[in-house]
Amino acid sequence: MKTLLLTLLLGLACAHRSTVDVSELSGEWKTFYMTSTNIEKITSNGPFRLFLRRVEFDPERDIVFFNFFVQNKGKCIHNLDIGRKVGENSYRTSFSGKSYHYFLYASEDSLVVYTVNEDKNGNVTKIMGMYGKGNEANEEDFEKFLEFARENDIPEHNIVNFINFDTCPTSF
């Protein structure tokens, strides 16, 4: 039943999106902002308090590699998660339960990803992440992030700025 709910949430969120060419998104990315229906998932010691470093798409095998750090009790722990393609621009991973990631928007410097996570206890959380290159988000891309968060009923007051407290290594 929960998987059906996740699929439905993902389908609703993605029903009217323009297509993003994920084959052009491989490379280095940093977490800029996140917001979530459950703020505890993205704040201190939360499982999605993650600092993205690299995304690598393998279109021949329909998989994506996410390289990132999770900060727990002040320590940066490296993670590599592999996602299997489940639809156009959408991938399923097993990080912190079942997570479905949909690549909603990309510009030259920014990437917006919508995630629906079902944790080990069956709790479903919606997360919107903005990732970028460099050290700051441009205003137009940040507005897109806000727009997608609003459309998916993810509260703006739960936005966390990751730029200012990313103390994890820049590489592995």
Side-chain angles (χ1 to χ4, degrees), residues 8-162:
L8 178 62
L9 285 171
L10 190 61
L12 289 173
C14 305
H16 61 284
R17 304 285 180 245
S18 60
T19 302
V20 172
D21 185 0
V22 295
S23 68
E24 296 179 9
L25 300 179
S26 290
E28 294 180 9
W29 295 95
K30 291 169 57 175
T31 307
F32 282 178
Y33 297 95
M34 292 184 109
T35 187
S36 172
T37 54
N38 179 352
I39 190 75
E40 292 176 8
K41 296 275 186 174
I42 60 172
T43 54
S44 191
N45 299 321
F48 283 90
R49 185 182 181 86
L50 60 87
F51 299 92
L52 187 64
R53 291 298 184 253
R54 185 162 189 81
V55 176
E56 197 69 42
F57 290 90
D58 184 341
E60 290 179 14
R61 298 189 306 173
D62 283 338
I63 59 176
V64 61
F65 299 92
F66 296 97
N67 270 290
F68 58 95
F69 288 96
V70 174
Q71 201 171 52
N72 193 337
K73 297 180 183 172
K75 294 187 179 185
C76 295
I77 302 160
H78 175 249
N79 283 273
L80 170 65
D81 200 18
I82 300 171
R84 300 243 174 251
K85 188 171 186 172
V86 294
E88 188 165 343
N89 299 334
S90 59
Y91 295 82
R92 181 184 181 278
T93 66
S94 58
F95 180 75
S96 193
K98 295 179 199 165
S99 294
Y100 293 84
H101 309 278
Y102 191 82
F103 292 80
L104 299 178
Y105 171 81
S107 70
E108 188 174 312
D109 298 319
S110 295
L111 178 61
V112 177
V113 180
Y114 172 67
T115 299
V116 178
N117 171 259
E118 179 183 348
D119 66 19
K120 294 176 265 183
N121 299 320
N123 300 313
V124 176
T125 303
K126 297 187 290 185
I127 302 164
M128 191 69 62
M130 180 179 182
Y131 309 94
K133 299 182 179 197
N135 294 315
E136 62 184 50
N138 77 45
E139 193 173 321
E140 182 180 323
D141 291 337
F142 184 71
E143 285 301 319
K144 282 287 192 189
F145 166 75
L146 292 175
E147 177 185 322
F148 286 123
R150 285 184 210 113
E151 287 178 8
N152 290 286
D153 298 318
I154 303 173
E156 285 184 48
H157 64 268
N158 285 353
I159 292 175
V160 176
N161 179 338
F162 280 59

